[in-house]
Amino acid sequence: MASGGANYRNGTQRNSLKGTTTATDRQLSMNLNPSKAALKNKSLSSVGASSGLRKSSPGSLGGGTAKDDAGVPGRVRVAVRLRPRNAEESVADADFADCVELQPEFKRLKLRKNNWDTDTYEFDEVLTEFASQKRVYEVVAKPVVESVLDGYNGTVMAYGQTGTGKTYTLGRLGEEDTADRGIIVRAMEDILADVSLESDSVSVSYLQLYMESLQDLLDPTNDNISIVEDPKSGDVSLPGATLVEIRDQQSFLELLQLGEAHRYAANTRLNTESSRSHALLMVHVKRSVKGRELAHSSQNGNSTNMAKSLRPTLVRKGKLVVVDLAGSERIDKSGSEGHTLEEAKSINLSLSALGKCINALAENSAHVPVRDSKLTRLLRDSFGGTARTSLVITIGPSPRHRGETTSTIMFGQRAMKVENMLKLKEEFDYKSLARKLDIQLDKLIMEHERKQKAFEEEIERITTDTQNQISEAERNYADAMEKERLKYQKDYMESIKKLEEKWMMNQHKLGERKDQMASTAEEVAELQKLLSKETSLRKAAEEEVNNLKSQLAQLKMSEASANSEILKLQKMLEDEAYRKEKLEGEISMLQTQLLQLSFEADETRRRLDRGGPGKVLGGLDSLISQVRPQVNDSVNEEKASIANLFEQVGLQKILSLLEAEDADVRIHAVKVVANLAAEESNQQKIVEAGGLTSLLLLLGSSEDEMIHRVAAGAIANLAMNETNQELILSEGGIRLLSITAANAEDPQTLRMVAGAIANLCGNDKLQNKLRDEGGIKALLGMVKCGHPDVLAQVARGIANFAKCESRASAQGSKTGRSLLIEDGALPWIVQNANNDVSPIRRHIELAVCHLAQHEVNARDMITGGALWELVRISQDCSREDIRTLAHRTLTSSPTFLAELRRLRIDY
């Protein structure tokens, strides 16, 4: 925590504690009697508390395995740091000497009880007010960071009175001067320089413990993180915390800035920016141990390449916890009151619980009250656990705070007696091995599938070729058989003809050649043989013809079965036509039900409007208590009806009714879609089904005022999603909304349109496109309506737009004047900054603060009178966060401060 008005100066760097260990324990006498002026010394035990563990081999801490019971003792190391006097102390304590005297060369501190009596204490390191941030880091945190890189858990913690420089020591970013960088920034620089981003990983969580509630500084909505303890090992984990992987130093600095912006702080008498919560930065370092696998494989020369690839990687997991404790304070000195008083009580209770645990550990008590506070549960591993812990206690020189300084010193003395058992966190990375095996298995499966596919294609090719060859052979065989049959038939007929001719000749010559009868009989016998041969050939031809006839019959049967299949298909088509007619009848019935449900929804909405806030005088509470059950029942019945319709009809059919020719059908359909869009669970379904596009088309094509109002309300609900916002702009939604706003006269329609544009104004990526398409001018054009609900939505849109511009300017992605000022919104903003309507006033006050954060807008705001509103907001705003934001903006702007000085206004 940065002290009020006190800045540290760079001093001479002393010898670092890096690489040193204390071989023996120094035993000094201790005298706690405050009445004597004797020298007080505290017994110290320096047992392996330096970075010597970083240079030792892993075998000395458990043989290089991941066993949980391997460890070495390590005492908590404590350093004391003195801050210089601030401006207030330089004036108030000008006649008094400092209450402490440092002897850094002897590592001792003398505490003055009065002008003649002092107590002396020894610490592991004594840092004067001239010690540089670099020396503080090397003495306090660097040995712990090196142990974390070797696979141990480590803790660096700052403890002290409020305003003594804890946050300065730990969390200084060094944006203006790199020499002012604190322990957190320097630790991350060393970690990123030592790890390999290819095989190692660094991830960060940033939390705060506020009023016994553990909150995520990287996600403010996550404000109740649970603490989970392993019943076996006692390790503490936070499964609900945001874990961000760090790849470079710049992203880490942006992460720290984001977390610091969400941390609670308040202005007290002792500190103008007093931290009201304990901040915890957790850095998880996961490193793969190189060389182990090669050394192991060299011992087993018979191992195959596959066995080497299946050996899991050895991983070391170290965790660095940096704790910026909120400062202890006395109520009478800090002047806390109201909520700040409750915060101070919570801080003191948690610090008291931590002190009790330290006392119990220092005295080796059988019971350590760890569960008395969430702070002690979170630091369970840091004190008496397995982590290497380094504590820096911060004190001030003022004699007015001697009591708080004494309490801080005694806390550090007791912490030096706490012994931790350092344990190396090693394990085999079976998940990485499983991923490798999965990749190899996928490759083998793909190769197998490729070969299988090639084999199947080859089989299919061979089968096709074979079938083609068989078909060709069958055709050739059939052709050959037909040719042979025709040839044999022709030969047969010719032979018959010849035989007949010969027979006729023989008959003619029979009378003449009776003497040749014997020879003729032989010829007849020969002819008979030839005839029998020809007869057999004829029978074979007839059999072939019969086979062809049987094949023809089979083809006719196949044709008959195909005709039967065609008849079946015709019957199926007739059945489908009948079902289609039946479905069309059901659709007409559902459309009738849809019209009836929309009518019921209108009636319900009218009853709600009549039962809403209006001109109600006395007896309002009793009337609301009587009407509310009925209204709730009506709303529930309407939601149930719409849900039943949604399930029965289906979203696609409901959306199709938006394009119906009947105007009443379109009106009722858009009302149903608007009611569905009010439920977040239905929004994604509506967008995926094209509902957003249909609503935009309906908004541009319809001239009905009611359709404009309901469609704009549905678009406003869908515009709460960032993806839907980009879709709305890509489809010309801003232009359609602007045209609707220009033509609308109904305040409710304008309220819906203004709400949709206000939601779009909250998207950082759409600023320029929103302005180019007339979104800002459309908002400003709706103020002429004068209706409070419309003005509230316009003010919300301007506040969202100004916030996005402020964020873009802080990130360096935007330069130049605000687009709101260029479009002429500043006069209306100034005019309504003190509006009687609370929502309008709150949004306008936020817009003024966000516009003032960009220095280039300052001159326009002074000319337009916004400076006086900013001063009023910083003093009279009912909300503390807005009032604080206005004050910080005024004090950080050179232009505003110069104008106030010119006007001789003391601010």
Side-chain angles (χ1 to χ4, degrees):
M1 185 185 312
S3 61
N7 295 321
Y8 284 90
R9 299 185 296 274
N10 292 332
T12 304
Q13 180 177 349
R14 304 181 188 278
N15 292 330
S16 173
L17 290 182
K18 178 180 178 182
T20 62
T21 56
T22 306
T24 60
D25 295 341
R26 294 173 298 188
Q27 300 295 335
L28 303 177
S29 62
M30 178 176 64
N31 184 4
L32 296 178
N33 187 358
S35 62
K36 297 183 179 181
L39 179 68
K40 281 193 172 182
N41 294 326
K42 308 301 174 184
S43 63
L44 308 175
S45 59
S46 302
V47 183
S50 68
S51 62
L53 287 176
R54 176 155 178 82
K55 298 182 179 178
S56 63
S57 64
S60 64
L61 296 174
T65 64
K67 297 180 180 179
D68 292 333
D69 55 353
V72 295
R75 175 177 59 78
V76 175
R77 294 183 58 82
V78 181
V80 59
R81 186 180 192 184
L82 176 68
R83 70 156 171 80
R85 289 192 177 192
N86 54 34
E88 180 184 357
E89 292 172 348
S90 298
V91 176
D93 300 334
D95 298 331
F96 300 95
D98 292 348
C99 65
V100 293
E101 178 185 350
L102 304 184
Q103 296 179 338
E105 62 276 7
F106 300 112
K107 299 182 179 180
R108 288 191 304 199
L109 177 147
K110 289 186 177 182
L111 176 64
R112 291 190 178 91
K113 299 171 60 178
N114 47 48
N115 291 334
W116 57 86
D117 191 7
T118 60
D119 290 337
T120 302
Y121 302 92
E122 286 196 2
F123 291 93
D124 293 303
E125 193 66 38
V126 175
L127 302 168
T128 68
E129 64 271 30
F130 304 106
S132 65
Q133 291 281 75
K134 179 180 180 181
R135 170 163 172 74
V136 173
Y137 168 72
E138 292 180 346
V139 168
V140 175
K142 191 164 187 176
V144 178
V145 173
E146 292 175 342
S147 295
V148 171
L149 291 171
D150 279 338
Y152 296 89
N153 288 345
T155 301
V156 178
M157 186 172 70
Y159 177 91
Q161 181 190 8
T162 180
T164 55
K166 296 184 296 301
T167 303
Y168 177 88
T169 300
L170 295 179
R172 190 76 169 184
L173 298 181
E175 296 174 331
E176 299 178 356
D177 187 357
T178 56
D180 288 343
R181 291 169 298 163
I183 287 176
I184 293 177
V185 178
R186 294 176 184 269
M188 183 55 68
E189 289 176 352
D190 285 356
I191 290 174
L192 292 176
D194 197 73
V195 300
S196 172
L197 296 180
E198 297 178 357
S199 59
D200 305 336
S201 66
V202 180
S203 53
V204 169
S205 295
Y206 201 8
L207 314 167
Q208 71 173 350
L209 182 60
Y210 176 70
M211 300 284 286
E212 282 301 301
S213 174
L214 191 57
Q215 303 174 3
D216 197 332
L217 288 175
L218 304 182
D219 183 9
T221 59
N222 190 7
D223 57 358
N224 191 15
I225 300 175
S226 59
I227 302 174
V228 179
E229 298 181 11
D230 191 338
K232 295 182 179 180
S233 63
D235 292 339
V236 176
S237 61
L238 305 172
T242 301
L243 194 64
V244 180
E245 185 173 355
I246 301 300
R247 307 293 295 178
D248 53 71
Q249 185 71 10
Q250 183 60 33
S251 63
F252 176 67
L253 293 177
E254 294 175 356
L255 209 64
L256 288 181
Q257 292 174 345
L258 175 63
E260 286 298 324
H262 296 144
R263 192 174 176 188
Y264 287 96
N267 185 6
T268 65
R269 295 177 184 174
L270 298 178
N271 193 351
T272 57
E273 294 184 3
S274 175
S275 299
R276 313 311 290 171
S277 63
H278 306 299
L280 296 92
L281 178 72
M282 296 184 178
V283 183
H284 302 267
V285 181
K286 181 179 178 182
R287 307 190 68 188
S288 299
V289 180
K290 299 181 180 178
R292 291 293 187 87
E293 184 176 350
L294 296 176
H296 185 74
S297 61
S298 64
Q299 296 175 2
N300 187 6
N302 297 327
S303 60
T304 62
N305 292 331
M306 179 61 72
K308 292 180 181 178
S309 63
L310 296 181
R311 186 175 297 112
T313 306
L314 188 64
V315 176
R316 288 180 178 174
K317 296 181 178 179
K319 180 174 71 173
L320 174 63
V321 180
V322 183
V323 185
D324 182 9
L325 295 174
S328 60
E329 62 182 62
R330 291 186 178 179
I331 307 305
D332 55 345
K333 291 185 177 181
S334 65
S336 299
E337 58 183 11
H339 184 68
T340 308
L341 177 60
E342 296 300 323
E343 292 175 338
K345 290 179 180 179
S346 177
I347 292 170
N348 290 337
L349 283 175
S350 59
L351 294 177
S352 176
L354 177 62
K356 290 179 181 178
C357 291
I358 297 296
N359 291 341
L361 291 170
E363 297 172 1
N364 292 324
S365 175
H367 171 68
V368 180
V370 177
R371 297 188 175 275
D372 287 357
S373 171
K374 287 187 178 181
L375 177 62
T376 54
R377 292 176 64 191
L378 290 170
L379 299 180
R380 182 173 185 174
D381 192 48
S382 302
F383 293 96
T386 63
R388 163 167 290 176
T389 302
S390 183
L391 171 67
V392 55
I393 60 173
T394 58
I395 59 176
S398 176
R400 291 180 296 165
H401 305 306
R402 182 182 289 107
E404 290 84 344
T405 302
T406 302
S407 175
T408 302
I409 292 173
M410 297 308 298
F411 180 88
Q413 289 289 298
R414 288 188 293 270
M416 291 175 67
K417 298 179 182 180
V418 177
E419 288 280 348
N420 292 349
M421 184 61 67
L422 309 183
K423 292 183 181 180
L424 184 65
K425 306 294 182 180
E426 285 186 345
E427 64 181 23
F428 291 113
D429 190 1
Y430 291 103
K431 293 183 179 179
S432 176
L433 176 61
R435 288 194 297 270
K436 292 180 182 178
L437 292 177
D438 288 339
I439 294 173
Q440 293 183 3
L441 180 60
D442 292 340
K443 290 182 179 178
L444 292 175
I445 291 174
M446 291 176 61
E447 182 66 20
H448 173 71
E449 291 178 349
R450 186 185 63 79
K451 292 182 178 180
Q452 183 69 20
K453 185 177 180 181
F455 176 75
E456 292 176 353
E457 291 177 352
E458 183 66 19
I459 292 296
E460 184 177 357
R461 186 187 64 79
I462 293 174
T463 302
T464 304
D465 294 343
T466 303
Q467 291 178 351
N468 294 334
Q469 292 176 2
I470 291 173
S471 300
E472 183 68 22
E474 290 178 348
R475 287 194 300 271
N476 294 335
Y477 175 74
D479 293 342
M481 289 296 295
E482 182 67 19
K483 289 179 179 179
E484 288 293 328
R485 187 184 66 80
L486 294 174
K487 179 181 178 183
Y488 287 148
Q489 187 176 6
K490 183 178 180 182
D491 292 344
Y492 173 76
M493 295 303 294
E494 290 177 354
S495 299
I496 292 297
K497 186 176 181 181
K498 288 179 179 180
L499 286 174
E500 288 178 349
E501 289 176 356
K502 286 182 179 181
W503 184 79
M504 289 300 292
M505 290 176 67
N506 288 331
Q507 285 295 110
H508 180 70
K509 294 178 180 180
L510 182 63
E512 296 179 355
R513 296 181 180 181
K514 291 184 179 178
D515 54 348
Q516 298 179 354
M517 286 295 293
S519 61
T520 303
E522 294 177 356
E523 290 180 358
V524 170
E526 185 178 356
L527 289 174
Q528 287 178 347
K529 290 180 181 179
L530 291 174
L531 181 61
S532 62
K533 183 177 180 181
E534 291 295 331
T535 302
S536 63
L537 291 174
R538 181 178 180 181
K539 289 181 179 179
E542 289 177 352
E543 291 178 357
E544 184 68 23
V545 170
N546 292 332
N547 291 333
L548 293 175
K549 288 181 179 180
S550 63
Q551 292 179 4
L552 179 62
Q554 290 179 358
L555 289 175
K556 291 182 178 179
M557 292 177 63
S558 300
E559 182 179 2
S561 63
N563 291 332
S564 65
E565 289 292 331
I566 291 173
L567 292 176
K568 290 181 182 179
L569 290 175
Q570 289 177 349
K571 187 177 181 180
M572 292 174 64
L573 287 175
E574 292 175 356
D575 293 340
E576 288 295 330
Y578 172 73
R579 283 196 291 270
K580 180 180 179 182
E581 293 177 357
K582 186 177 180 181
L583 287 175
E584 288 176 351
E586 292 178 356
I587 289 173
S588 63
M589 291 177 63
L590 291 175
Q591 288 178 347
T592 304
Q593 294 177 6
L594 174 61
L595 293 175
Q596 182 178 357
L597 287 173
S598 299
F599 176 74
E600 293 175 358
D602 289 339
E603 290 298 323
T604 303
R605 187 172 292 105
R606 293 191 189 99
R607 290 197 300 270
L608 289 173
D609 293 337
R610 289 195 297 270
K615 298 179 180 179
V616 181
L617 301 176
L620 180 61
D621 294 336
S622 62
L623 180 59
I624 291 176
S625 63
Q626 295 175 6
V627 173
R628 183 179 290 113
Q630 300 176 4
V631 173
N632 290 337
D633 293 340
S634 300
V635 173
N636 292 333
E637 291 177 1
E638 180 184 353
K639 289 184 178 179
S641 300
I642 293 174
N644 292 332
L645 178 64
F646 180 68
E647 294 177 357
Q648 295 174 2
V649 178
L651 179 59
Q652 197 64 44
K653 293 182 179 180
I654 295 175
L655 293 177
S656 65
L657 296 178
L658 294 175
E659 301 175 0
E661 296 180 358
D662 191 346
D664 292 334
V665 174
R666 290 200 304 274
I667 291 173
H668 293 299
V670 76
K671 289 180 180 179
V672 173
V673 174
N675 287 327
L676 291 174
E679 297 291 336
E680 185 176 356
S681 58
N682 299 330
Q683 293 179 359
Q684 188 64 26
K685 298 177 182 178
I686 293 173
V687 175
E688 291 175 354
L692 179 57
T693 303
S694 299
L695 288 171
L696 290 173
L697 291 175
L698 188 62
L699 189 66
S701 61
S702 176
E703 297 179 357
D704 189 276
E705 181 78 12
M706 181 178 294
I707 290 180
H708 286 173
R709 180 173 66 253
V710 181
I715 294 172
N717 288 332
L718 296 177
M720 291 187 290
N721 181 276
E722 183 175 349
T723 304
N724 297 343
Q725 293 172 356
E726 297 178 358
L727 182 60
I728 290 171
L729 259 72
S730 65
E731 296 190 4
I734 289 297
R735 180 181 56 81
L736 293 174
L737 291 171
S738 301
I739 295 173
T740 304
N743 298 330
E745 297 179 357
D746 183 20
Q748 296 304 319
T749 302
L750 292 174
R751 180 174 68 88
M752 296 299 182
V753 174
I757 298 177
N759 290 336
L760 295 174
C761 286
N763 193 321
D764 294 344
K765 304 175 183 177
L766 310 178
Q767 294 279 292
N768 292 329
K769 191 172 182 180
L770 180 68
R771 188 248 188 157
D772 294 340
E773 295 190 6
I776 302 302
K777 292 184 178 179
L779 274 180
L780 296 176
M782 283 184 278
V783 302
K784 63 183 179 182
C785 172
H787 195 279
D789 293 341
V790 179
L791 297 182
Q793 294 299 326
V794 173
R796 183 170 70 87
I798 290 176
N800 288 342
F801 197 93
K803 182 178 181 181
C804 292
E805 280 194 328
S806 175
R807 186 160 49 239
S809 299
Q811 295 173 355
S813 60
K814 183 188 183 307
T815 58
R817 291 196 310 163
S818 169
L819 299 179
L820 292 172
I821 296 178
E822 291 183 357
D823 284 352
L826 186 59
W828 185 83
I829 292 174
V830 175
Q831 181 182 356
N832 290 269
N834 198 15
N835 196 293
D836 294 335
V837 182
S838 177
I840 300 175
R841 184 176 65 254
R842 183 177 72 252
H843 290 309
I844 293 300
E845 288 175 346
L846 281 173
V848 171
C849 293
H850 288 308
L851 286 174
Q853 286 183 335
H854 194 26
E855 187 68 18
V856 75
N857 298 330
R859 185 53 57 189
D860 290 316
M861 295 185 69
I862 292 173
T863 305
L867 174 60
W868 305 113
E869 294 299 332
L870 190 62
V871 173
R872 179 192 61 77
I873 294 169
S874 67
Q875 295 174 351
D876 300 334
C877 182
S878 58
R879 285 185 48 174
E880 182 181 354
D881 56 343
I882 300 178
R883 192 168 62 250
T884 304
L885 178 62
H887 175 74
R888 186 167 63 248
T889 302
L890 278 172
T891 55
S892 62
S893 172
T895 305
F896 287 153
L897 293 177
E899 180 66 15
L900 291 174
R901 285 194 299 269
R902 187 183 70 80
L903 298 174
R904 297 181 180 179
I905 297 176
D906 187 12
Y907 186 79

